[in-house]
């Protein structure tokens, strides 16, 4: 065997280890919040750090699936770690809940554009997966210098309150504990909750703080008198429970959840969980970070699914799309994974497979590593436009839950056909070696330089063409980077390959417990 080929897995592992080191370093930035100085001030006020609050709230030893921890990476001068808010799913008193918690060490818990997007996204996930929402409020309201990107539009601050009202009306409990200031719009988070707890001494709720009251009506009042916890518990009735400290507030929140009379009913025929026979830690040595290097995606699947077993559908046809049923943490799952560009055959195969899973009520998992659909005269004459549309239509109209993981490239219409964010999958996660854009930097630079050449009527200025190529390549390299994407909430977080099986297991459990047992069967049209 060629020595270069023998060393390829080790080289791929080494390159991916560097990508994992970058991810872990940036995760430390997110977890650090506002830094030690502000954390010390936080503690001096009798407060507990936001992630410690969540740990005290959750059932001991239970997992917490944090969402979008690297929101705001590279934005706002790096001063807003995790967008100033921690969101995620955990078990409280035996009930899976969505936790939305402000980090007051980051700009006082103020809402930046990405904060509102992260908050809204958490509510969307809670709504679709039928999860009670628990708000740990320590909120400074909208970040006023960017009020035009936080306040007026759909998806801004007001949408969070609209979602609270609609979810409560839909039978999803909205519960809050107030640990700090809730001023202006922030006051509506606890005010719109079904039940709320306030911490005496630090928790405050007021539509206008003392400076606004003085300016508006010339009244001079201190914050505690205006909107303190004891006043709201004994006089206004805005809050339902008074807690003497944060631990008592969290304990009370657990008691409220325990009394919800909440019962999750799963629809799947779950079997006993069996660990993969192959080690997920080997995935980096298979895929590497060079998206131009091919690999067999079956080797990735075998390291994610139970007993490394899968039943492949049409294995001899449309080979660039692997379709297989398997179990993951005991839950049935239908997997569509890229093994190359999507041709008409692979598109038709994927549409057929989706319909089978839809009929059998099997959730779908898309593993994206796709440059797009095939182009060219032969492909067009073979009907790639209508056949790729069949895959998109089948995916978009499937009634079963859909999950997506970007394990490699996610380019162009391939992102759409493989259930990108625009098609509303329950969850979208990315690996640190993934990329997402309309096309790769190589293709983009070629396309734009060729277009420029063809538009010139006179002599070609090669220096101009070279500058355009460099500018285009730099733009697409930057904007296709997974951290560029996750900072802007284009996914629900970057995860390590070795974590993926457990993350997907949580998602499949949530999807199972929230999926209605719809009546009737879906037809299967052979493509």
């Amino acid at each position: 065997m060629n020595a270069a080929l023998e060393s390829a897995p080790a080289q791929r592992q080494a390159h991916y280890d560097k990508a994992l080191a970058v991810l872990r370093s940036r995760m430390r930035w997110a977890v650090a919040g506002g830094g030690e100085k502000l954390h010390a001030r936080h503690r001096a006020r009798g407060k507990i750090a936001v992630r410690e609050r969540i740990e005290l709230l959750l059932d001991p030893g239970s997992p917490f699936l944090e969402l979008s921890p690297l929101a705001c990476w590279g934005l706002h001068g790096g001063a807003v770690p995790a967008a100033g808010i921690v969101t995620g799913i955990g078990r409280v008193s035996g009930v899976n809940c969505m936790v939305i918690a402000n980090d007051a060490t980051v700009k006082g818990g103020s809402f930046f554009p990405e904060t509102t997007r992260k908050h809204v996204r958490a509510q969307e996930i809670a709504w679709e997966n039928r999860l009670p929402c628990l708000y740990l409020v320590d909120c400074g309201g909208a970040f006023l210098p960017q009020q035009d990107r936080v306040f007026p539009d759909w998806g801004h601050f007001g949408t969070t309150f609209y979602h609270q009202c609609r979810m409560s009306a839909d039978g999803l409990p909205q519960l809050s504990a107030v640990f700090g200031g809730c001023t202006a719009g922030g006051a509506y988070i606890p005010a719109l909750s079904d039940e709320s707890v306030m911490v005496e001494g630090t928790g405050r709720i007021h539509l206008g703080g003392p400076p606004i009251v003085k300016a508006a009506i010339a009244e001079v009042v201190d914050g505690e008198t205006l909107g303190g916890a004891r006043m709201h518990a004994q006089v206004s009735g805005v809050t339902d429970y008074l807690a003497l400290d944060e631990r008592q507030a969290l304990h009370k929140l657990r008691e409220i959840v325990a009394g919800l009379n909440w019962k999750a009913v799963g629809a799947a025929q779950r079997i006993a969980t069996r660990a993969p026979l192959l080690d997920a830690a080997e995935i980096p040595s298979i895929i590497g970070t060079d998206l131009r290097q091919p690999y067999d995606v079956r080797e990735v699947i075998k390291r994610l699914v139970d007993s490394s077993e899968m039943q492949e559908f049409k294995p001899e046809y449309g080979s660039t799309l692997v379709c297989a049923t398997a179990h993951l943490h005991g839950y049935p799952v239908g997997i569509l994974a890229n093994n190359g560009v999507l041709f008409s055959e692979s598109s038709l195969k994927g549409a057929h497979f989706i319909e089978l899973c839809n009929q059998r009520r099997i959730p779908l998992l898309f593993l994206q590593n796709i440059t797009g659909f095939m182009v060219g005269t032969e492909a067009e004459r073979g009907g790639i436009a209508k056949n790729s549309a069949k895959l998109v239509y089948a995916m978009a109209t499937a009634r079963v839950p859909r999950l997506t993981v970007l394990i490699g490239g996610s380019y162009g219409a391939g992102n759409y056909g493989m259930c990108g964010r625009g098609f509303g999958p329950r969850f979208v996660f990315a690996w640190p070696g993934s990329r997402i854009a309309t096309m790769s930097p190589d293709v983009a630079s070629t396309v734009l330089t060729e277009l420029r050449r063809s538009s010139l009527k006179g002599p070609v200025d090669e220096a101009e063409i070279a500058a355009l190529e460099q500018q285009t390549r730099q733009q697409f390299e930057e904007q296709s980077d997974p951290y560029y994407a996750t900072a802007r909430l284009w996914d629900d977080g970057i995860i390590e390959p070795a974590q993926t099986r457990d993350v997907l297991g949580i998602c499949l459990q949530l999807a199972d417990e929230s999926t209605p047992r719809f009546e009737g069967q879906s037809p299967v049209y052979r493509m």
Side-chain angles (χ1 to χ4, degrees):
M1 182 180 289
N2 187 296
L5 292 178
E6 287 182 327
S7 64
Q11 291 174 347
R12 293 183 180 193
Q13 180 76 51
H15 291 154
Y16 216 97
D17 283 346
K18 292 179 181 178
L20 291 175
V22 170
L23 173 61
R24 292 163 187 168
S25 171
R26 294 178 180 182
M27 285 294 294
R28 288 192 288 272
W29 166 83
V31 172
E36 184 51 41
K37 180 179 179 180
L38 290 174
H39 274 281
R41 183 189 300 175
H42 197 72
R43 290 190 294 269
R45 294 171 176 170
K47 292 186 173 185
I48 301 172
V50 63
R51 286 180 172 80
E52 291 178 32
R53 287 173 182 162
I54 294 172
E55 187 175 348
L56 290 168
L57 176 66
L58 299 180
D59 293 350
S62 64
F64 180 64
L65 178 57
E66 185 171 347
L67 302 168
S68 302
L70 290 172
C72 278
W73 168 261
L75 301 175
H76 310 296
V80 193
I85 191 170
V86 180
T87 64
I89 300 162
R91 189 170 288 271
V92 179
S93 298
V95 179
N96 283 321
C97 298
M98 175 62 74
V99 180
I100 301 175
N102 304 111
D103 185 353
T105 69
V106 178
K107 301 295 184 180
S110 297
F111 274 67
F112 284 72
E114 294 76 21
T115 316
T116 59
R117 181 69 192 100
K118 187 171 176 178
H119 189 120
V120 168
R121 174 60 183 157
Q123 291 177 316
E124 291 170 347
I125 291 172
W127 207 339
E128 188 168 31
N129 290 280
R130 306 295 300 172
L131 300 173
C133 288
L134 309 183
Y135 302 91
L136 308 186
V137 192
D138 203 344
C139 170
F143 184 65
L144 295 180
Q146 296 193 24
Q147 66 86 27
D148 62 322
R149 298 176 59 203
V150 175
F151 173 71
D153 199 5
W154 175 260
H156 288 181
F157 208 2
T159 303
T160 68
F161 311 136
Y162 175 75
H163 280 177
Q164 272 189 260
C165 299
R166 293 297 303 272
M167 281 194 286
S168 178
D170 201 24
L172 295 177
Q174 306 293 298
L175 311 172
S176 63
V178 179
F179 301 100
C182 299
T183 302
Y188 284 107
I189 299 175
L192 290 172
S193 294
D194 304 335
E195 293 182 78
S196 67
V197 187
M198 285 186 73
V199 177
E200 186 171 22
T202 57
R204 291 179 184 171
I205 298 175
H206 31 58
L207 294 184
I212 294 178
V213 171
K214 182 178 180 180
I217 62 174
E219 178 185 348
V220 178
V221 62
D222 65 89
E224 190 66 21
T225 302
L226 180 65
R230 187 166 293 276
M231 187 280 291
H232 279 308
Q234 296 178 349
V235 180
S236 73
V238 167
T239 193
D240 306 299
Y241 308 99
L242 178 67
L244 300 181
D245 58 31
E246 293 198 3
R247 291 177 181 270
Q248 189 179 38
L250 293 165
H251 180 73
K252 187 62 184 179
L253 205 54
R254 286 181 53 81
E255 285 185 341
I256 296 171
V257 175
L260 289 178
N261 191 29
W262 195 262
K263 184 178 182 181
V265 180
Q269 294 295 320
R270 191 184 182 192
I271 64 175
T273 298
R274 297 162 296 162
L277 300 179
L278 302 175
D279 190 354
E282 298 171 346
I283 291 176
S285 69
I286 296 169
I287 65 174
T289 56
D290 186 349
L291 301 184
R292 297 167 297 183
Q293 296 298 318
Y295 59 86
D296 189 348
V297 76
R298 295 174 183 85
E299 295 302 318
V300 174
I301 297 172
K302 290 176 182 178
R303 286 161 174 80
L304 298 178
V305 300
D306 290 4
S307 295
S308 299
E309 295 175 352
M310 62 180 185
Q311 180 176 320
E312 190 170 348
F313 175 69
K314 283 184 176 290
E316 308 299 328
Y317 182 80
S319 59
T320 58
L321 181 65
V322 174
C323 300
T325 51
H327 283 84
L328 199 156
H329 276 286
Y331 291 100
V333 63
I335 302 170
L336 295 93
N338 301 120
N339 238 2
V341 66
L342 287 168
F343 291 85
S344 280
E345 295 84 355
S346 43
S347 300
L348 293 173
K349 170 181 167 180
H352 189 173
F353 180 72
I354 289 171
E355 291 190 338
L356 288 173
C357 291
N358 202 40
Q359 185 193 60
R360 297 165 188 175
R361 305 173 189 182
I362 299 174
L364 295 167
L365 169 62
F366 295 84
L367 301 179
Q368 287 196 10
N369 181 27
I370 178 66
T371 56
F373 292 97
M374 190 59 188
V375 297
T377 303
E378 183 178 352
E380 297 295 352
R381 291 174 65 87
I384 187 63
K386 65 181 176 66
N387 293 326
S388 63
K390 290 176 181 178
L391 174 61
V392 171
Y393 187 90
M395 175 273 300
T397 59
R399 292 192 287 175
V400 295
R402 295 165 297 143
L403 313 173
T404 301
V405 182
L406 279 61
I407 67 174
S410 178
Y411 295 119
N415 169 276
Y416 296 165
M418 291 293 292
C419 198
R421 169 51 69 78
F423 285 82
R426 295 271 181 120
F427 294 91
V428 180
F429 296 101
W431 284 358
S434 66
R435 295 290 185 272
I436 180 171
T438 52
M439 57 190 71
S440 70
D442 290 338
V443 174
S445 59
T446 300
V447 168
L448 289 181
T449 53
E450 287 301 314
L451 287 173
R452 181 57 180 159
R453 285 179 185 277
S454 64
S455 70
L456 296 174
K457 296 180 180 179
V460 175
D461 185 342
E462 292 299 337
E464 178 193 348
I465 296 296
L468 176 61
E469 180 181 8
Q470 181 180 2
Q471 177 187 351
T472 302
R473 186 177 296 277
Q474 181 178 347
Q475 176 191 352
F476 275 74
E477 288 283 2
E478 176 188 350
Q479 294 181 354
S480 65
D481 186 89
Y483 297 98
Y484 187 96
T486 203
R488 291 159 176 78
L489 284 298
W490 296 353
D491 55 47
D492 297 314
I494 299 176
I495 58 176
E496 299 185 15
Q499 299 172 327
T500 305
R501 171 178 162 82
D502 289 341
V503 168
L504 291 174
I506 293 172
C507 295
L508 286 170
Q509 180 195 20
L510 297 172
D512 177 49
E513 292 180 351
S514 62
T515 302
R517 298 183 177 182
F518 50 81
E519 299 298 326
Q521 297 294 320
S522 299
V524 176
Y525 297 104
R526 289 189 61 85
M527 296 293 133

